[in-house]
Amino acid sequence: MKDIANLALAGHEPLFDSILPVGQLYSPSKERFHSVFHDLFDRRYYTNHGKLAQELERRLEERLDVRNAVVVTNATLGLSLSCKALGLPPQGKVIVPAFTFAATVQALTWAGLEPVFCDISNKSHNLDPQKVAALLEQHDVCAILGVHLWGNPCDIEQLQTLADSKGIPLFFDAAHAIACRYHGKPIGNFGACEVFSFHATKIMNATEGGCITTNDDELAERLRNLRSSYGRRKNVKTPIDGYGRFSEAQAAFGLLSLEDLSRRCDENCQKMALYHKKLSCIPGIHCISPAPEENMNYQYVVLEIDEKEFGLSRDALQKLLEAENVIARRYFVPGMHHCPPYETLFPEFATALPVTDALCTKVLQLPSGAPVSMDAVSRICECIAFVQANSADIKRTYFA
Ligand SMILES: *Cc1c(COP(=O)(O)O)cnc(C)c1O
């Protein structure tokens, strides 16, 4: 790009012919899917904890080195089922970050619980243990729900100490964190239980789906009972039935996705490294790096844009990129404490989360999944560098 008139926002052709989304969208080939799926037509056993769902659970237990993997319809339901299996009381209060996907908090609401929104650490974007400790003193809390955002593990050790000090369960939304580790141990082994998402936009794709993992066999049995009458090992009492079945079609897709998981992590890693190499020298751009000593899945390329240094706002950059067919996203804006129904139900949190609110003005994710080649990454970075170098002109011409 040589001239700001060549920007798609100015009416020029976009940089890319088709859109580049943030979602991972990795899928197995049609042929491989068929090879796993075809005998379903003969077996005519489509759901109710069939052969493929059982095999997927076994492989997940192996891969994550955890005693129990319970696959369910999706992660949101998995979180709600976890609340029920943990026996959290009606209207109980649960500490949760507001800087997360809506489903984390909505799963609590569906389970009849109330969120107590907690601020996060500026550095990790995860629950800040000091702020958790303060909230534990102010509220009668029955559980802590952490989110391993962008696949970066929470400060699990400190959170567990806090939960233990109150005798309440800690559990995790691990929707971003499959194939990630904490102190060398796979995510999936921490807290009372952890919940993964296999939504098509996540690195492990079962089209839809989720999985709850736990090393607590009794909790696992309650989860299996909540899920469906199929797949139970023994009947145990649960407060309500959950219907979180996982179909054989989901399992077929999921098995192949799990087979490919390490390769996808490597591909993502290469793209992230290239992004970081090319973007970190641009004024006003700060790349969020994964925890260095941990294995990661690198599925989210996350930036913070400093408007003053960059010369344009995060929102202006997003608009410019969108015109080029680069669909960058502002996850998770606004924070859940500013979203319905919570903003009216719990107005006391409106000004209580300064780090979350500041981050919400800066954060941006770039495309990195299957539709994005290494060459595309280079071109996206060059476009951003061009925008920054010409930010004053662009601001005057298009954003005055
Ligand atoms: C995707 C996601 C979920 C929801 O997962 P589903 O499988 O779509 O229900 C929950 N929490 C976070 C942080 C997510 O990104």
Side-chain angles (χ1 to χ4, degrees):
M1 219 171 280
K2 294 201 180 68
D3 194 299
I4 67 166
N6 292 345
L7 288 166
L9 198 71
H12 202 265
E13 295 227 327
L15 199 53
F16 296 96
D17 297 337
S18 52
I19 63 164
L20 299 181
V22 163
Q24 291 276 291
L25 305 173
Y26 285 115
S27 65
S29 68
K30 276 187 256 185
E31 293 71 28
R32 283 176 69 214
F33 182 71
H34 184 71
S35 75
V36 179
F37 192 69
H38 75 277
D39 61 324
L40 207 90
F41 295 95
D42 301 325
R43 278 190 279 124
R44 297 192 189 182
Y45 196 94
Y46 305 106
T47 183
N48 287 350
H49 208 60
K51 180 179 155 203
L52 298 180
Q54 290 175 44
E55 185 174 341
L56 180 60
E57 287 187 339
R58 208 168 46 240
R59 296 234 192 135
L60 283 163
E61 285 161 1
E62 233 171 67
R63 164 94 199 203
L64 301 175
D65 198 14
V66 67
R67 288 184 59 83
N68 302 279
V70 179
V71 292
V72 290
T73 312
N74 59 45
T76 309
L77 190 62
L79 286 165
S80 293
L81 295 181
S82 299
C83 295
K84 291 296 175 194
L86 287 167
L88 303 185
Q91 273 107 53
K93 294 183 175 194
V94 178
I95 289 181
V96 66
F99 191 61
T100 183
F101 186 54
T104 314
V105 184
Q106 284 166 351
L108 295 176
T109 304
W110 278 108
L113 300 158
E114 279 188 14
V116 173
F117 290 118
C118 186
D119 213 356
I120 50 176
S121 141
N122 207 2
K123 202 163 155 267
S124 70
H125 296 183
N126 283 328
L127 279 180
D128 179 340
Q130 276 188 336
K131 290 168 187 165
V132 172
L135 286 173
L136 283 172
E137 295 314 311
Q138 292 157 22
H139 297 266
D140 187 15
V141 170
C142 70
I144 302 170
L145 173 54
V147 181
H148 304 303
L149 209 68
W150 321 132
N152 282 323
C154 291
D155 191 337
I156 297 173
E157 229 164 316
Q158 284 204 52
L159 292 178
Q160 191 64 62
T161 304
L162 286 168
D164 291 347
S165 76
K166 293 283 172 187
I168 57 173
L170 166 69
F171 63 125
F172 293 101
D173 177 339
H176 294 183
I178 193 136
C180 299
R181 284 169 188 265
Y182 176 75
H183 296 181
K185 203 166 164 186
I187 294 294
N189 283 279
F190 298 98
C193 61
E194 307 207 60
V195 182
F196 297 97
S197 171
F198 303 155
H199 185 257
T201 58
K202 308 294 206 287
I203 187 167
M204 162 123 179
N205 173 4
T207 67
E208 285 277 359
C211 179
I212 312 164
T213 57
T214 179
N215 285 309
D216 176 339
D217 293 347
E218 279 178 37
L219 180 65
E221 207 41 63
R222 286 199 293 280
L223 286 163
R224 290 188 194 102
N225 272 255
L226 278 161
R227 174 180 58 188
S228 152
S229 53
Y230 295 89
R232 291 176 178 179
R233 297 182 186 173
K234 60 177 191 229
N235 285 351
V236 297
K237 229 173 127 53
T238 54
I240 186 171
D241 281 343
Y243 307 109
R245 288 178 295 260
F246 192 85
S247 80
E248 289 291 277
Q250 285 175 287
F253 220 89
L255 279 164
L256 295 167
S257 193
L258 186 60
E259 239 172 71
D260 295 343
L261 189 58
S262 296
R263 190 150 43 87
R264 301 316 190 198
C265 292
D266 291 346
E267 288 171 34
N268 282 348
C269 182
Q270 286 175 22
K271 289 175 202 172
M272 186 180 280
L274 186 57
Y275 266 126
H276 284 195
K277 186 171 145 224
K278 294 201 147 214
L279 292 177
S280 56
C281 51
I282 301 175
I285 292 195
H286 171 59
C287 302
I288 301 302
S289 293
E293 77 279 18
E294 311 291 356
N295 277 17
M296 290 292 297
N297 59 38
Y298 309 95
Q299 64 175 323
Y300 294 100
V301 175
V302 187
L303 312 180
E304 287 177 28
I305 311 293
D306 181 320
E307 179 170 351
K308 256 208 191 104
E309 272 188 65
F310 187 74
L312 284 164
S313 70
R314 180 269 318 266
D315 293 355
L317 175 60
Q318 188 194 21
K319 274 208 183 74
L320 283 156
L321 290 173
E322 189 183 355
E324 308 292 351
N325 277 334
V326 177
I327 313 302
R329 299 302 294 259
R330 307 178 310 171
Y331 292 134
F332 294 98
V333 180
M336 288 308 292
H337 57 315
H338 295 305
C339 292
Y342 308 108
E343 58 176 345
T344 37
L345 285 176
F346 310 110
E348 64 270 30
F349 296 108
T351 57
L353 311 177
V355 178
T356 299
D357 288 335
L359 196 59
C360 282
T361 66
K362 294 195 275 194
V363 78
L364 191 71
Q365 289 83 33
L366 297 176
S368 65
V372 184
S373 64
M374 290 291 275
D375 177 58
V377 171
S378 288
R379 290 163 68 202
I380 292 169
C381 293
E382 281 150 24
C383 178
I384 294 173
F386 174 84
V387 165
Q388 195 284 322
N390 295 277
S391 56
D393 265 4
I394 292 173
K395 190 170 178 179
R396 206 176 316 111
T397 314
Y398 305 112
F399 295 99

